[in-house]
Amino acid sequence: MTLPRPRPSVRKRAPVLGTGFRLYLVGESAGLVGTSVHLVALPTLAVLELDATAGQAALLASLAHLPTFLLALPAGGIVDRYAKRALLVGTDLAGAAVVTVVPVAALAGMLSMSVLCAVALALGAVTVLHQAAAIAIVPQLVEPALLHRANARVGAAFGAADTAGTYLGTAVVAAIGAANPQVNDRAGAVRRERARGRSQSCKI
């Protein structure tokens, strides 16, 4: 008597995150790297072009983090009211416009600490709103069963992008400061103040 052969077990493929989510994650991570580089570059520009003191450069670095403390909760309410895709596009365009102020002011001979402080505050505010929209849009990009995995990927990618941008900006500062001890000393204060601001954000 011939026994029936057991059917080969078919492995169920785990659901995968879609192409749309992967493109979103790459784009947002790249944008966050650029923002982090700018936040490191602003105090350095103040030192190189405006002969800012270590205290002024540290103040500029701190102002970039101020919107995180002031706007984190209101940003959630704004994101809930408006279309998230529109907010992402709008904040991207606003961020680009804010960053453009620096070279335009420099070419016009109007670059000053006040201009850099305003740029730091505006860029920080735009970044807070953009990140709130970027996190809130995730449920629209993946199935409910994949939401936990998607949020974990977003958190890891955003953290890595922020760190990469900070180190990339710091590498530029170190390359410049190696040839100028005074700039190197002041840039060190900037890096310490930025690290302090990030640790305060993590506590909140």
Side-chain angles (χ1 to χ4, degrees):
M1 180 177 180
T2 305
L3 296 175
R5 294 181 180 180
R7 293 181 179 179
S9 58
V10 179
R11 285 187 178 182
K12 291 185 178 180
R13 295 182 61 182
V16 296
L17 299 170
T19 303
F21 175 78
R22 290 195 293 270
L23 292 174
Y24 148 86
L25 196 60
V26 171
E28 290 300 318
S29 299
L32 187 55
V33 169
T35 299
S36 298
V37 169
H38 281 118
L39 293 179
V40 174
L42 285 176
T44 307
L45 180 64
V47 171
L48 295 177
E49 298 296 329
L50 303 176
D51 294 326
T53 64
Q56 289 174 319
L59 174 63
L60 185 57
S62 298
L63 287 175
H65 294 284
L66 186 59
T68 302
F69 301 102
L70 299 179
L71 301 178
L73 291 178
I78 295 173
V79 168
D80 289 338
R81 291 183 185 179
Y82 299 98
K84 297 168 183 60
R85 292 180 187 272
L87 282 174
L88 289 174
V89 174
T91 50
D92 271 337
L93 294 176
V98 168
V99 171
T100 305
V101 169
V102 176
V104 170
L107 290 174
M110 300 174 62
L111 188 63
S112 64
M113 280 298 299
S114 298
V115 170
L116 293 183
C117 287
V119 167
L121 282 171
L123 187 60
V126 168
T127 301
V128 170
L129 185 58
H130 184 92
Q131 288 189 343
I135 294 172
I137 202 174
V138 173
Q140 300 179 14
L141 301 175
V142 299
E143 298 176 5
L146 299 174
L147 187 57
H148 180 73
R149 194 200 310 178
N151 283 331
R153 294 269 183 93
V154 169
F158 282 13
D162 185 36
T163 301
T166 300
Y167 279 108
L168 180 59
T170 303
V172 174
V173 171
I176 297 173
N180 190 332
Q182 185 180 13
V183 171
N184 197 35
D185 290 342
R186 294 178 183 177
V190 172
R191 293 193 294 271
R192 288 191 297 272
E193 187 60 35
R194 175 160 170 76
R196 188 178 299 113
R198 290 179 62 194
S199 65
Q200 293 285 346
S201 301
C202 291
K203 289 179 182 177
I204 289 181

